[in-house]
Amino acid sequence: MSDGTPVPDCLFCKIIAREIPAEVVRETETTLAFRDIHPQAPTHVLVVPKAHHPNAAALALAAPDQAAAVLAEAGEVAAQEKIAESGYRLIFNTGAGAGQTVFHAHVHVLGGHGSLHGTLV
Ligand code: 5GP
Ligand code: ZN
């Protein structure tokens, strides 16, 4: 089971440590939300636990309270970005074969301007 310890060469651990800049939109004691550098929708924010876990399921197993905090923050981001009413999508890519490129748990919050109509991914 992952223990949440920061990983020196992890991109999101570096963003959390403010060693790499990011456009932070929300922060709590246990989570950070920042804009994706390559947005795939008008609103595209990543919400991460500050503790390092390799993916969402590992996070839920090791620290269920922090998994819940990430989901709650995704909802807060949607409200703040004004996409809660129009609808938004939460995506957890898990494994390289599914497109995961950063192995620090994160949820993509995607929405805005009808950008999700007729699409599954
Ligand atoms: P994944 O593909 O692992 O689900 O998502 C990783 C996301 O991190 C990608 O959407 C990618 O655009 C984003 N990303 C990669 N490098 C950076 C960076 O340096 N800053 C920010 N804000 N996002 C990044
Ligand atoms: Zn990390």
Side-chain angles (χ1 to χ4, degrees), residues 5-7 10-14 16 50-53 102-105:
T5 307
V7 170
C10 170
L11 175 64
F12 291 170
C13 284
K14 288 180 181 169
I16 290 158
K50 288 183 176 175
H52 180 98
H53 297 278
V102 180
F103 292 84
H104 179 129

Side-chain angles (χ1 to χ4, degrees), residues 7-116:
V7 170
D9 63 353
C10 170
L11 175 64
F12 291 170
C13 284
K14 288 180 181 169
I15 287 177
I16 290 158
R18 304 304 207 269
E19 290 168 15
I20 291 176
E23 191 180 342
V24 172
V25 297
R26 288 185 63 85
E27 180 167 17
T28 68
E29 201 178 316
T30 58
T31 67
L32 190 70
F34 52 92
R35 294 194 195 285
D36 196 292
I37 205 165
H38 296 302
Q40 306 294 317
T43 291
H44 187 172
V45 172
L46 302 171
V47 183
V48 305
K50 288 183 176 175
H52 180 98
H53 297 278
N55 59 53
L59 170 68
L61 269 179
D65 53 333
Q66 290 185 44
V70 166
L71 285 176
E73 274 301 291
E76 294 294 337
V77 166
Q80 189 172 307
E81 295 287 312
K82 304 198 186 324
I83 56 171
E85 294 283 314
S86 54
Y88 58 96
R89 186 166 291 162
L90 303 181
I91 295 176
F92 294 94
N93 293 324
T94 303
Q100 187 178 4
T101 58
V102 180
F103 292 84
H104 179 129
H106 56 279
V107 62
H108 297 256
V109 182
L110 293 158
H113 298 310
S115 59
L116 306 177

